[in-house]
Amino acid sequence: MRSKQGRLWAYNLALLALTAVLASLALPWLAQWPSPWLVLGFVLFQLLVWNYGFPVPSMGMISMERVPQITAILLFPVEVAATINALPALLWPFLNQRYRQGSWHFGLVRALHNSCMIALMTVAGGVAYLWAGGELPLTALSLQTLLAVLATALAVQLVNMSMMVLFLLFDGRDVRRLVDRTYLLADMLFVPLGLLAALVWSQGDSLTFGMFVAFVVLTVVSLHEIVESRRTVQRRVEALDAASSTRQALSGSHRIEELAERLISQIGALFEYRVAFVALHDVPRGEFDVVLQVNDGERLPRFSRPVRQGVAGHVLRTGQPLLIDDWRHAPQAVREVAVLEPGEEPGSVMIVPIKQNGDVLGLVSVQHDLPNRYSEADQFALLAIAQDLAPVLADARTFEELDAYRERLERLVDERTAELQRAAAERERLLAEVRVQGELLQRQSREDVLTGLSNRRHFDECILTEIARAQRYGHELSLALIDIDHFKRFNDLGGHALGDEVLRRIGAMLRGHFRVGDLVARIGGEEFAVLLPETNRAGSLASLEQLRARVELDGPDELSAGLSISISVGLALLREDETRDSLMQRADLRLYAAKTAGRNRVHSEDVDA
C-alpha cells in the first residue's frame, strides 16, 4: 500500500512542480484578474455540474464540466482561465465523500491531482486556441473560430485522458478494463455549450446570459434526474423480466451467480487479489453461502460455512467492514476466529458487508499475499460497489426463495394429480381424435382432395352468395370456366397417375394466380371454375390471359415426352337479375366456343381473346 501511495504522491508532486513553474512564468496575469463575483460564479457552477454528475466507480464522474472550462478559455487569458478552472477541483474532493472515497488522505491526493490536471488542461487548450488563430476574448463566430475551438477541445481532452490514465496506473487499477471510449469522449459532447456560453457573455446582455446559465443549470439537474429515474426503472424492469422469463432465467440461484460474477469482474478491475469471494447470509440456517470464490484465477464450487466460523462470519455477525493492512498485526479477536489452512496466512484482507435496509445480506472479500495492499479509500470504494449491488441482490435472493417455494408446491401438485393427469390425457386423446375426424370431414365436404381447391359443393354455395351480393350492391361479377385441353391424352399415355399429377399442378397454378378474395374450384374431372367478385370484363380477361400464357409456358413438359399442357377458358359477366343457371350456361357456351375455335384461348361474349 505504501508503494502505491508513494507512486501517487510522486506523481502529484511532479504535477504540482510543473504547475508552479508555469504559474511563475505568468505572473503578469494578476493584473487581468476578473471580478471576484465572476470567479465565484464559475467556481459554484463547476461544483454544481460535478454535484449532479454521474459517478464512475473508482474513477471519478461524467459531467458537464467542459461547459465552464471551455467558456473560461474563450473569455480570459490562459493563466486566468487555468486558475479559475483549477479552484473548484481543489475544493471538490473535500465536499464530496464518495469522490474522496471516504478518506481525507485520498481526498487530498485527488484535490492536488485534479487541480493541477485541470490547470494543465486549460493551459494546453488555451495555447491550442491561440495557435489556431482563435479570437480572445471571443466576440463572434467564424469558421476559423470553430476550428480553433475544435483544436482547444482536442488538446484539453488529450491532456485529460493521458493524466487520468497515469493516475489510474499509479493507483494500481486495470486501466484497460476501466477506461473506455464512452468515458473518455463523453466530455466532448458539451464543448458546444461552452462555446455558446462564451458567445452569449460577449454580447454584454446580462439578462440573456443569466437565462442561458439558468437553462444550463436546469439541463444539468434534469439530466441527473433522468439518469437516476432510468436506473430506478431499469432495476424494476430487470425484476419484471426475471418474473416473466423462462424457468431457467427465473432461477434466483442463476441470477445470484450472475451478479456475483459481475461483482468479481468489477473488483478485478479495481484491486489486485489472490482470493476473492462473494457470500450470502443464510439467517435461518446460521450459515453464509459462498456463491462464488476465486483462488489464483480458479473458480471454486459453491459451498456454505457456519456464521460462527472465520473472519467472514465475524463481519456477518457485526455488520461492520474489516480492513487489515498486515495480517501479522491483526487484532487478536480477529485472529482467534480465523480459519486458515496450515501454512497459509494472508498479507492483506478487506471484507465489507452488503446491506439492505439495515439487514446484512452478505459480504464481499478480497485478500492478497502481500501486506499493505488496500487502503481506507479502497474499502470505501468496495462499500460503494456493495451498496449499489444490494437492491439487485435482494431481488435475486427473493426470487431464489420463491423458486424453492414453487418447487415444493410443484412436487406436491405432481404427487396429488398423477391419476388425474392420466385420466385427462386419455380424455384429451379421445377428444383429439374426434376433432381430427371432424376437421377431416369438414374439409372433405368443402375441399377437393386431389387439388386442394374448393369442390363443386362449396362452389355451388358460394356462387349463390356472390350473385346475391353483386345484385344487391350493383357490383360486377365474372365467372370463368376452365378446361384442360386434350386431358384424355395424359390418362391414355401415362395412366391416371400422370393425369392426377397434371390436375395437381394446374390446381397449384390456379391457387397461386388468383386473388385471396377470388373463389377457385374444381367442379368436374378436368374442369375448373373461378368466381371473380368486383371485376369487370377487361380485368377478368387480362388475368385469365396471363393464366393461360403461364400454363402454356410453365406446363410440365417433362411429365411425358411430346406432351404439353394448355387450357381453354370461357368467361361470362353477371347480368342484371340473372340466375346462377343462366350465368353458368353462358360461361359454358363461351368455353365451348373457345374449344371450337382451336383451344388454348380465352373466349368471352363480345371479345375473343
Side-chain angles (χ1 to χ4, degrees):
M1 195 63 230
R2 294 188 182 91
S3 61
K4 182 167 77 169
Q5 291 179 354
R7 291 195 303 267
L8 286 175
W9 273 109
Y11 174 50
N12 274 354
L13 291 176
L15 291 182
L16 188 60
L18 177 59
T19 306
V21 169
L22 291 176
S24 67
L25 296 176
L27 289 178
W29 65 266
L30 287 170
Q32 306 177 50
W33 189 255
S35 164
W37 293 109
L38 181 60
V39 175
L40 180 61
F42 268 89
V43 171
L44 292 178
F45 183 79
Q46 181 70 83
L47 295 175
L48 174 74
V49 297
W50 278 334
N51 185 64
Y52 286 98
F54 316 128
V56 180
S58 174
M59 297 180 61
M61 64 182 61
I62 295 175
S63 69
M64 294 175 65
E65 62 182 276
R66 286 295 181 271
V67 177
Q69 291 170 358
I70 294 296
T71 303
I73 292 174
L74 300 181
L75 292 180
F76 308 119
V78 62
E79 302 86 356
V80 175
T83 305
I84 292 175
N85 288 339
L87 281 175
L90 195 61
L91 300 174
W92 176 244
F94 302 106
L95 300 177
N96 187 280
Q97 183 186 29
R98 180 157 186 161
Y99 191 75
R100 66 174 180 269
Q101 296 184 189
S103 168
W104 292 105
H105 172 267
F106 192 71
L108 179 60
V109 170
R110 273 197 154 168
L112 290 176
H113 172 267
N114 288 358
S115 57
C116 293
M117 177 180 69
I118 291 178
L120 294 175
M121 287 163 47
T122 305
V123 170
V127 170
Y129 180 71
L130 295 175
W131 173 82
E135 178 189 16
L136 190 70
L138 177 65
T139 59
L141 196 60
S142 65
L143 178 59
Q144 186 173 4
T145 300
L146 290 176
L147 294 176
V149 172
L150 178 60
T152 301
L154 292 175
V156 168
Q157 198 65 26
L158 179 61
V159 174
N160 187 200
M161 289 163 51
S162 302
M163 297 183 70
M164 280 303 302
V165 168
L166 286 174
F167 183 86
L168 292 172
L169 285 174
F170 291 141
D171 197 30
R173 310 305 185 190
D174 189 342
V175 175
R176 290 173 299 178
R177 296 172 62 181
L178 283 175
V179 180
D180 58 22
R181 286 177 295 179
T182 301
Y183 176 75
L184 293 176
L185 301 179
D187 290 332
M188 295 285 287
L189 298 175
F190 303 108
V191 170
L193 274 179
L195 171 61
L196 183 58
L199 287 171
V200 174
W201 173 263
S202 65
Q203 302 305 313
D205 187 343
S206 301
L207 179 60
T208 302
F209 185 75
M211 293 178 64
F212 177 79
V213 171
F215 165 76
V216 175
V217 170
L218 289 175
T219 301
V220 171
V221 176
S222 298
L223 281 176
H224 179 80
E225 293 301 322
I226 289 172
V227 170
E228 291 301 317
S229 298
R230 182 180 180 275
R231 288 177 179 173
T232 301
V233 171
Q234 187 174 6
R235 286 195 293 265
R236 294 176 180 175
V237 169
E238 287 177 354
L240 291 174
D241 284 345
S244 61
S245 58
T246 62
R247 178 171 179 172
Q248 180 180 4
L250 180 63
S251 168
S253 299
H254 182 70
R255 282 170 52 79
I256 289 175
E257 290 172 3
E258 287 183 348
L259 290 172
E261 289 177 356
R262 188 192 313 170
L263 178 57
I264 292 294
S265 176
Q266 190 173 4
I267 290 173
L270 301 180
F271 313 113
E272 296 177 351
Y273 64 83
R274 188 184 72 82
V275 178
F277 66 84
V278 180
L280 295 181
H281 190 189
D282 191 339
V283 178
R285 295 184 180 181
E287 296 177 341
F288 64 93
D289 177 16
V290 181
V291 179
L292 177 62
Q293 178 167 328
V294 179
N295 287 13
D296 295 320
E298 181 182 355
R299 175 173 177 168
L300 302 184
R302 189 167 178 170
F303 64 93
S304 298
R305 283 182 179 175
V307 173
R308 63 179 179 274
Q309 292 183 2
V311 180
H314 172 75
V315 173
L316 282 174
R317 294 193 304 272
T318 62
Q320 298 300 318
L322 178 66
L323 174 62
I324 301 176
D325 292 328
D326 191 337
W327 181 260
R328 294 170 299 182
H329 304 125
Q332 185 62 31
V334 174
R335 297 178 65 86
E336 289 176 355
V337 298
V339 179
L340 301 176
E341 298 293 332
E344 180 181 356
E345 187 172 283
S348 308
V349 178
M350 183 166 58
I351 309 176
V352 301
I354 303 173
K355 291 184 177 182
Q356 171 78 350
N357 298 327
D359 297 329
V360 180
L361 302 179
L363 55 85
V364 56
S365 172
V366 290
Q367 300 177 19
H368 201 283
D369 289 339
L370 300 177
N372 301 312
R373 301 301 297 180
Y374 309 122
S375 65
E376 291 181 359
D378 294 331
Q379 178 179 280
F380 186 88
L382 191 57
L383 274 170
I385 295 172
Q387 180 181 351
D388 291 340
L389 178 70
V392 184
L393 186 61
D395 289 341
R397 188 65 179 271
T398 301
F399 281 117
E400 185 178 48
E401 294 172 355
L402 289 174
D403 287 342
Y405 180 68
R406 188 188 66 246
E407 289 174 0
R408 291 195 298 270
L409 286 180
E410 287 177 350
R411 286 196 299 268
L412 180 61
V413 170
D414 290 342
E415 293 170 0
R416 298 289 179 85
T417 59
E419 288 296 330
L420 291 176
Q421 287 178 346
R422 284 194 291 271
E426 179 64 18
R427 183 189 63 184
E428 287 297 327
R429 186 186 65 80
L430 295 175
L431 289 175
E433 289 184 2
V434 172
R435 284 196 297 269
V436 169
Q437 292 297 326
E439 291 173 359
L440 178 61
L441 291 173
Q442 183 180 17
R443 189 168 61 251
Q444 288 176 346
S445 69
R446 301 165 60 90
E447 185 180 291
D448 176 61
V449 176
L450 183 61
T451 63
L453 302 176
S454 295
N455 57 19
R456 179 59 183 259
R457 177 182 176 183
H458 188 215
F459 172 78
D460 288 340
E461 294 173 356
C462 290
I463 191 173
L464 293 175
T465 302
E466 291 297 337
I467 288 175
R469 182 183 292 113
Q471 290 176 343
R472 179 177 180 182
Y473 296 106
H475 295 162
E476 293 183 294
L477 178 64
S478 299
L479 171 64
L481 296 181
I482 302 172
D483 190 79
I484 302 176
D485 296 331
H486 303 297
F487 179 74
K488 187 173 180 298
R489 292 180 305 165
F490 297 103
N491 286 333
D492 292 343
L493 295 177
H496 288 289
L498 179 60
D500 289 349
E501 180 63 21
V502 171
L503 289 171
R504 277 192 292 268
R505 296 197 180 189
I506 292 296
M509 287 186 182
L510 291 172
R511 187 166 50 250
H513 178 76
F514 291 102
R515 303 168 302 182
V516 174
D518 299 335
L519 176 66
V520 184
R522 181 187 177 199
I523 60 174
E526 69 273 18
E527 189 173 5
F528 302 85
V530 181
L531 276 176
L532 302 166
E534 300 184 35
T535 308
N536 58 24
R537 177 180 283 106
S540 300
L541 281 173
S543 178
L544 293 168
E545 178 58 29
Q546 289 176 3
L547 173 66
R548 183 203 64 76
R550 179 185 173 189
V551 171
E552 183 181 22
L553 180 64
D554 299 338
D557 295 339
E558 72 278 5
L559 290 176
S560 181
L563 294 181
S564 61
I565 299 177
S566 64
I567 59 174
S568 298
V569 184
L571 175 65
L573 268 71
L574 180 67
R575 297 172 180 172
E576 187 177 356
D577 298 330
E578 188 174 24
T579 64
R580 182 200 65 175
D581 293 341
S582 173
L583 179 62
M584 289 285 294
Q585 184 179 14
R586 289 192 298 106
D588 191 59
L589 288 174
R590 296 304 97 203
L591 175 61
Y592 178 77
K595 288 182 172 292
T596 303
R599 295 183 171 83
N600 192 20
R601 65 193 61 223
V602 179
H603 201 287
S604 72
E605 304 159 316
D606 303 332
V607 178
D608 189 347

